[in-house]
């Protein structure tokens, strides 16, 4: 296995679609990453440190298992034994959806860009006749009660901002600075402040509408369904 193939497999594992994303993750410039591919060699020690889940021998020559043994075992331990052969970590796999815990993972954008990483999945759920979704998560808070309550599970499909349908319900992550982020379930409306803003509205009268700069929105997911325990 050559260097280009190994780097592409690393990029695929993390859910990156561009070389620039991989370069940023590794802490190198896009030019350095390009040079590695042209020379068919790379700084294996750097990659081993930055990508700690990968087996060193695999990084060295593509031989052996791709992931370290403990990482692979941890991933497999999340799968019920009777269902193990059915699970696929491909985005949009029909019927089987990964269930995420946002509190454990950190942020929605990280889930979406690393959707193939099993250690971020706490369980799987099967929803008949609901394909082309990216995942599910538990609801925290009651800003959308009684439509969606704390403890419900929502099923979501990630979209780009250009695909927003105004007035629909979305899972939204936005950040006001480099160190804080907020994940909300809200309706997205056009803002009176202009095209650079959107208005996030809920149902609970105790939660006022909020205008958020579009530039601060990191990720958006369309809510396609919800599950409630009674």
């Amino acid at each position: 296995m050559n260097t280009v193939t190994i780097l592409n497999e690393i990029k695929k594992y993390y859910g990156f679609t561009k070389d620039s994303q991989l370069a940023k993750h590794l802490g190198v410039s896009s030019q350095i990453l390009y040079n590695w591919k042209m020379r068919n060699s790379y700084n294996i020690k750097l990659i081993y440190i930055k990508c700690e889940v990968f087996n060193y021998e695999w990084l060295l020559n593509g031989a052996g298992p791709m992931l370290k043994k403990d990482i692979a075992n941890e991933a497999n331990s999340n799968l019920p034994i009777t269902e193990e052969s059915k699970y696929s970590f491909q985005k949009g796999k029909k019927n089987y959806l990964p269930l995420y815990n946002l509190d454990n993972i950190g942020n929605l954008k990280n889930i979406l860009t690393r959707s193939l990483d099993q250690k971020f999945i706490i369980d799987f759920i099967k929803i008949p006749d609901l394909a082309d979704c990216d995942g599910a998560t538990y609801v925290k808070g009651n800003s959308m009660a009684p439509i969606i309550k704390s403890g419900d599970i929502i099923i979501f499909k990630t979209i780009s901002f250009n695909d927003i349908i105004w007035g629909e319900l979305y899972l939204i992550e936005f950040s006001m600075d480099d160190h804080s982020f907020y994940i909300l379930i809200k309706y997205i409306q056009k803002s009176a402040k202009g095209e650079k803003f959107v208005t996030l509205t809920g149902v609970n009268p105790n939660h006022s509408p909020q205008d958020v700069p579009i530039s601060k929105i990191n990720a958006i997911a369309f809510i396609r369904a919800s599950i409630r325990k009674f």
Side-chain angles (χ1 to χ4, degrees), residues 146-215:
I147 297 176
I148 297 178
K149 296 182 179 180
S150 181
D152 290 353
I153 294 175
I154 55 170
I155 315 299
F156 59 83
K157 168 68 177 177
T158 59
I159 65 168
S160 69
F161 189 84
N162 293 331
D163 294 327
I164 283 180
I165 301 175
W166 301 109
E168 294 293 338
L169 193 58
Y170 295 92
L171 182 64
I172 308 154
E173 178 197 303
F174 68 96
S175 57
M176 303 313 294
D177 55 51
D178 294 334
H179 306 289
S180 64
F181 66 89
Y182 305 88
I183 298 177
L184 303 174
I185 299 173
K186 296 288 184 179
Y187 293 111
I188 298 183
Q189 310 280 4
K190 291 185 177 181
S191 173
K193 288 188 174 183
E195 296 182 354
K196 295 184 178 181
F197 291 82
V198 293
T199 300
L200 307 181
T201 62
V203 175
N204 191 324
N206 294 323
H207 295 260
S208 302
Q210 183 177 9
D211 289 301
V212 174
I214 294 174
S215 60

Side-chain angles (χ1 to χ4, degrees), residues 75-120:
N76 290 333
S77 67
N78 289 329
L79 303 179
I81 294 175
T82 57
E83 297 289 342
E84 182 173 351
S85 63
K86 297 180 181 179
Y87 291 140
S88 170
F89 301 97
Q90 295 178 359
K91 195 175 182 181
K93 176 67 176 178
K94 185 176 182 180
N95 294 337
Y96 289 97
L97 295 173
L99 178 65
Y100 299 103
N101 186 329
L102 295 188
D103 290 341
N104 289 343
I105 297 169
N107 56 59
L108 177 61
K109 185 176 181 179
N110 192 41
I111 292 176
L112 303 181
T113 57
R114 301 185 68 176
S115 58
L116 301 183
D117 194 337
Q118 298 181 35
K119 68 180 180 180
F120 294 140

Side-chain angles (χ1 to χ4, degrees), residues 3-11 22 33 37 42 47:
T3 296
V4 174
T5 302
I6 292 175
L7 289 172
N8 286 340
E9 287 297 317
I10 294 174
K11 183 170 68 173
L22 176 59
L33 184 59
K37 290 188 173 184
Y42 52 59
I47 294 180

